[in-house]
Amino acid sequence: MKVLAIGCHPDDVEIACSGTLIKCVKRGDEVYVCHVSTGNLGHVIIPPDELTKIRAEEAKKAGRMAGIKEVFCAGFNDLDVFSDNRKARDKIVEVIRKVNPDFIITHNPDDYMPDHAAVSKLVFDASFAATLPNYPPKTDNPAKLVPIYYMDTLAGVDFVPTEFVDITEEIDLKTEMLKCHASQLVWMKEHDGIDFADMVRTCSKYRGYQCGAGYAEGFRSCNVYLKNTTKRLLP
């Protein structure tokens, strides 16, 4: 199968679903990761242009650790992502058509940051538009209409999973992937006193308690017409 994870920022996938993506790679799936934004405003001291390059390399390094086939950016800057923007929607259409996945993972529609919520809506809209061969640019190879799984919110706030993935064997690699994003983790630990890697690991432990696993990631299906399936797609 082909799996496409679309997060807003370069570390969002590592936070919420990287354990699941590792398991997908292990079972032989082709896994692609797209971050919509460059993450250029994610630091107080490092200038945006410099941070853009740093965060792109951090994301690619994390992807290589998991055997992800490709990690790429849609090219928008922080707080320039809007769900009602035709250019942004068409870019996500392009991404979905390029990969033509069997399922998509993205943000929950009610996540805490405007950029996250915008990406969730863009993915929902684009996943339909990408299936229409006459939606410009016309194509002889439209994408399939596939299920969408919403990944956990930060710290699990107001998120009730409908599906769980046991990531007990993947938790250490998930943590190491997250640590690739040093521009974020080092800053938060030194200046905000937040051990972000520990927080993410603790949240995975909590989800594990909910489903009888050592560590787990939670997901919620996009429960609309033609987005459901009788098959278990998550690993």
Side-chain angles (χ1 to χ4, degrees):
M1 286 196 296
K2 288 186 178 181
V3 181
L4 174 60
I6 303 178
C8 185
H9 305 101
D11 57 353
D12 288 331
V13 164
E14 283 76 8
I15 293 167
C17 71
S18 57
T20 297
L21 298 184
I22 294 166
K23 291 194 79 160
C24 287
V25 171
K26 285 181 177 180
R27 72 178 180 184
D29 295 346
E30 285 187 13
V31 178
Y32 298 80
V33 170
C34 172
H35 45 275
V36 177
S37 172
T38 60
N40 68 320
L41 300 182
H43 208 283
V44 176
I45 295 176
I46 301 175
D49 288 348
E50 182 181 347
L51 187 61
T52 294
K53 297 176 183 177
I54 291 172
R55 298 199 69 181
E57 286 306 311
E58 290 172 341
K60 289 178 181 178
K61 180 180 178 182
R64 288 193 296 269
M65 292 179 70
I68 289 169
K69 188 173 181 66
E70 187 176 359
V71 177
F72 55 96
C73 181
F76 295 89
N77 287 326
D78 283 356
L79 298 177
D80 281 343
V81 182
F82 303 100
S83 60
D84 58 354
N85 182 285
R86 173 68 181 267
K87 180 180 177 182
R89 183 179 68 185
D90 287 354
K91 183 62 181 180
I92 305 306
V93 167
E94 178 185 323
V95 168
I96 293 172
R97 282 178 171 173
K98 170 186 173 181
V99 176
N100 194 14
D102 293 287
F103 66 91
I104 298 170
I105 297 173
T106 193
H107 291 288
N108 189 60
D110 298 321
D111 209 348
Y112 81 109
M113 188 184 293
D115 283 0
H116 289 199
V119 167
S120 182
K121 184 64 164 60
L122 283 170
V123 171
F124 179 83
D125 292 350
S127 68
F128 181 79
T131 69
L132 304 177
N134 289 316
Y135 184 82
K138 288 186 176 183
T139 178
D140 292 328
N141 298 296
K144 301 183 291 288
L145 185 62
V146 299
I148 294 174
Y149 296 99
Y150 295 126
M151 57 191 181
D152 218 334
T153 58
L154 194 61
V157 174
D158 201 26
F159 187 88
V160 179
T162 58
E163 296 197 45
F164 293 91
V165 176
D166 184 343
I167 62 162
T168 305
E169 295 183 1
E170 292 74 31
I171 187 62
D172 289 337
L173 180 52
K174 173 186 172 80
T175 304
E176 291 305 308
M177 290 173 68
L178 184 59
K179 287 180 179 177
C180 289
H181 297 274
S183 68
Q184 306 302 292
L185 270 67
V186 172
W187 174 261
M188 284 189 284
K189 194 164 188 176
E190 290 181 351
H191 295 83
D192 301 322
I194 300 172
D195 188 339
F196 196 67
D198 178 70
M199 185 191 82
V200 171
R201 192 180 182 102
T202 300
C203 291
S204 297
K205 183 70 173 176
Y206 171 67
R207 291 302 186 203
Y209 280 129
Q210 292 181 314
C211 64
Y215 294 87
E217 290 172 342
F219 298 88
R220 187 171 65 82
S221 298
C222 176
N223 191 25
V224 299
Y225 179 60
L226 295 180
K227 287 288 187 186
N228 288 308
T229 177
T230 58
K231 300 176 182 179
R232 167 78 181 189
L233 297 178
L234 293 170

